[in-house]
Amino acid sequence: VFIFTVIFAFLLIEENYFDYERTLLKELSISGENLNEEQMQKYHETKKELKRIFIKNTIAIATLAFILFTIVLGLYKILNYLLQRDLQVFLKFFKETAHKDYVLNPHTIFFKDFKIMVGYANNMVDTISEQKRILKDLNQNLEDRVKKKTINLQETNKKLLQEKEFSEEILDAQKKFLRYTVHETNTPLSVILTSIELYTMKHPKDKHLSKIEAAVKNIFSIYDDLSYLVKKDQVEYPKSMINFGDYISYRIDFFKDVAT
């Protein structure tokens, strides 16, 4: 702008100078070559007047050029300020939008194209806000479902623990019952078997006594099974070599009455 202003002033001053020269030449040609003192004085006065007009016009042109340059420079400064202000508004918008929902006011924007961008930016913020709201609702629903599932699992675990404790109590009661039953059954069975043996030593064995002895041996066999069931977790039974024939003979003698 400054260069074009200087060129504009230079051209006007140059044209004014040429008018000044042409006017002097014209005045000199009218007066003629042989000038008397009065004509020479008039010529110098005319030249002086033309020079004053030339200087006045030159100053006016320079002043006008400076004013035009100042006006253009002022307009440039104003437009630059407005542009920077609009850019600052957009920068603040993008900075604030990262932390909260911030909407631009189109009336604070000067340039028309920027106002159109404001509409797009506000639509973008609305879309992002809607997506954030939907995501927040989804997260809240998911958290509620997780909490509900967690409560259900805790209740289920609590019930399972209660059932486990109840089952353990039942098993423990069953073991105690079996232990007590086995212990209390041993004595009467031994008494019955011993009494039968003592009785047969003095009296002959009859049919009814044989049935009683067979039944007692059946009960004793059941007692052995229950005794093993109770003691298997408490007593270690090491493997050992046995005489299988003697074992079979012993068991045959034991169940002979039952088989008969």
Side-chain angles (χ1 to χ4, degrees):
V1 173
F2 177 75
I3 292 174
F4 279 109
T5 304
V6 171
I7 294 174
F8 169 75
F10 173 76
L11 293 175
L12 287 178
I13 293 172
E14 184 182 27
E15 184 65 25
N16 189 34
Y17 177 76
F18 288 154
D19 288 342
Y20 167 73
E21 289 288 340
R22 284 193 294 269
T23 304
L24 285 179
L25 291 174
K26 184 178 180 182
E27 184 67 25
L28 184 61
S29 61
I30 292 174
S31 301
E33 294 181 359
N34 298 322
L35 299 176
N36 54 29
E37 184 177 351
E38 183 180 354
Q39 289 176 339
M40 182 63 69
Q41 185 178 1
K42 184 179 179 182
Y43 171 75
H44 285 296
E45 289 177 359
T46 303
K47 183 178 179 180
K48 185 177 181 180
E49 181 66 19
L50 289 174
K51 187 175 182 180
R52 185 185 64 80
I53 294 172
F54 169 72
I55 293 172
K56 180 181 178 180
N57 290 338
T58 300
I59 293 173
I61 291 171
T63 304
L64 176 62
F66 177 76
I67 292 172
L68 289 175
F69 173 74
T70 303
I71 292 173
V72 173
L73 183 62
L75 292 175
Y76 165 76
K77 289 289 186 181
I78 293 172
L79 292 176
N80 189 47
Y81 167 76
L82 294 174
L83 180 62
Q84 287 183 353
R85 190 196 66 175
D86 289 353
L87 290 176
Q88 289 296 326
V89 171
F90 274 99
L91 289 175
K92 181 181 178 182
F93 164 75
F94 286 113
K95 183 179 179 180
E96 296 292 334
T97 307
H99 304 286
K100 60 181 180 180
D101 295 336
Y102 184 80
V103 180
L104 276 176
N105 184 5
H107 298 293
T108 60
I109 303 298
F110 177 77
F111 293 97
K112 183 178 180 181
D113 292 337
F114 283 176
K115 288 185 177 181
I116 297 174
M117 292 174 62
V118 168
Y120 293 147
N122 288 336
N123 290 334
M124 179 189 70
V125 171
D126 293 338
T127 303
I128 293 174
S129 299
E130 181 67 17
Q131 294 294 330
K132 287 170 65 177
R133 186 187 64 78
I134 294 173
L135 287 175
K136 185 177 180 180
D137 293 340
L138 289 175
N139 289 333
Q140 186 64 40
N141 292 332
L142 183 60
E143 289 179 359
D144 293 340
R145 292 174 63 184
V146 169
K147 289 180 180 178
K148 187 176 180 181
K149 289 288 184 181
T150 303
I151 293 173
N152 292 335
L153 286 174
Q154 290 176 349
E155 292 178 354
T156 303
N157 289 334
K158 186 177 180 180
K159 291 179 179 179
L160 288 174
L161 288 174
Q162 292 175 351
E163 292 177 359
K164 180 182 177 182
E165 292 176 357
F166 180 69
S167 300
E168 289 177 351
E169 290 176 358
I170 291 177
L171 289 174
D172 187 59
Q174 183 184 23
K175 289 180 180 179
K176 289 180 179 179
F177 172 75
L178 289 174
R179 191 179 300 112
Y180 175 78
T181 301
V182 169
H183 177 72
E184 295 299 325
T185 304
N186 184 33
T187 302
L189 283 176
S190 299
V191 171
I192 293 172
L193 287 174
T194 304
S195 298
I196 291 173
E197 290 178 0
L198 293 174
Y199 181 82
T200 55
M201 290 173 66
K202 297 180 179 180
H203 303 85
K205 185 182 294 186
D206 58 7
K207 179 180 178 181
H208 297 290
L209 185 62
S210 297
K211 288 184 178 181
I212 293 173
E213 186 178 8
V216 171
K217 287 184 178 181
N218 272 331
I219 296 174
F220 199 84
S221 177
I222 296 173
Y223 163 79
D224 284 339
D225 293 337
L226 291 175
S227 178
Y228 173 75
L229 182 64
V230 171
K231 296 177 181 179
K232 69 176 182 177
D233 296 329
Q234 301 175 359
V235 179
E236 185 178 357
Y237 294 92
K239 296 180 180 180
S240 60
M241 299 295 293
I242 63 171
N243 190 320
F244 197 64
D246 293 341
Y247 175 76
I248 293 296
S249 297
Y250 166 75
R251 299 306 287 175
I252 288 174
D253 291 339
F254 183 81
F255 287 109
K256 186 175 181 180
D257 295 327
V258 178
T260 303

